[in-house]
Structures are given as structure tokens and as C-alpha cells.
Amino acid sequence: MHELSVCQGLIKQVSQIAAEHNATRVEKIYLQVGPLAGVEPALLQTAFPIARINTLAEQAEIFIQSVPIRVRCKTCSAESETTLNNLTCLACGDWQTELLSGDELLIERIEMQTTQ
């Protein structure tokens, strides 16, 4: 399962951030995931408990927010929210668009306990 290796990478990155802040425990991890990120949010949820074993995030919860696909038309400059299989401009119908969002796999926020 690809999502398990993604979660393991996520835990590694979260652990590095936690170490930089002298954290004793990670409590919550908030992610932003777009439909074009190449991962399935439901499978991330399933893989996360396995990836967090024996880490500072062992008791952490993960919260995944979906990010919509947004494009900007190179012809008419309109911005629109579109769907996975249709990245055309909703204003003029042109296929020459620039992706603005929808491919994210970002850590939005981490909540952790730290030592002062």
C-alpha cells in the first residue's frame, strides 16, 4: 500500500518538527490533500495507525481536509473550481489552464506537547 509509505514519510517529517520544538508528544496532525495528490485520504487514515507506532505521534490523531481542484485559464484568466477529469476553463471552455490547487499533500498544522 503506497499510503503506508506516505504516512511513514509524514511521521518522519512530523518527528523532525517535533524534535525542533522539544516536543514530548504529538497530539494532532492536520493535512491538506487534493484529488491530484496521488493518495487516497481513506487509505491514509487506515495506514496512519500503523505508521505512528513507537513514535512521538503514537497517540496522535490525523485530520484530513480535502482541497478542491482550481485552475486559471491562460486564455481568459478566469479562475474556476473544476473536477478531476475536466481541467478545462468553466468560463470559456479552453483546455489551456494552469493548476492553482488540487495536487497538495501538505502538513497544515501539528499540535504537540512541548517542554518549556
Side-chain angles (χ1 to χ4, degrees):
M1 174 184 350
H2 166 70
E3 281 74 5
L4 179 57
S5 62
V6 170
C7 281
Q8 289 169 329
L10 169 69
I11 292 296
K12 183 177 179 180
Q13 189 173 9
V14 166
S15 296
Q16 290 171 346
I17 293 167
E20 291 171 10
H21 291 87
N22 297 317
T24 57
R25 188 171 117 182
V26 174
E27 296 177 341
K28 297 178 182 177
I29 302 169
Y30 295 85
L31 298 180
Q32 292 182 350
V33 179
L36 300 173
V39 296
E40 288 293 326
L43 294 177
L44 281 177
Q45 289 278 5
T46 301
F48 183 73
I50 298 166
R52 70 183 183 187
I53 294 172
N54 295 325
T55 70
L56 287 177
E58 188 160 21
Q59 300 300 315
E61 296 178 80
I62 190 169
F63 299 92
I64 301 173
Q65 174 189 0
S66 290
V67 177
I69 300 171
R70 293 194 51 79
V71 296
R72 178 183 300 121
C73 182
K74 292 181 180 181
T75 303
C76 73
S77 299
E79 291 184 13
S80 51
E81 194 171 306
T82 187
T83 60
L84 186 60
N85 295 322
N86 182 14
L87 301 179
T88 59
C89 175
L90 295 181
C92 73
D94 200 330
W95 59 270
Q96 294 184 7
T97 59
E98 172 186 13
L99 186 65
L100 299 176
S101 71
D103 62 346
E104 295 87 348
L105 177 53
L106 301 173
I107 298 172
E108 178 184 5
R109 185 172 82 233
I110 304 168
E111 293 182 13
M112 56 188 111
Q113 287 184 356
T114 60
T115 56
Q116 297 292 344

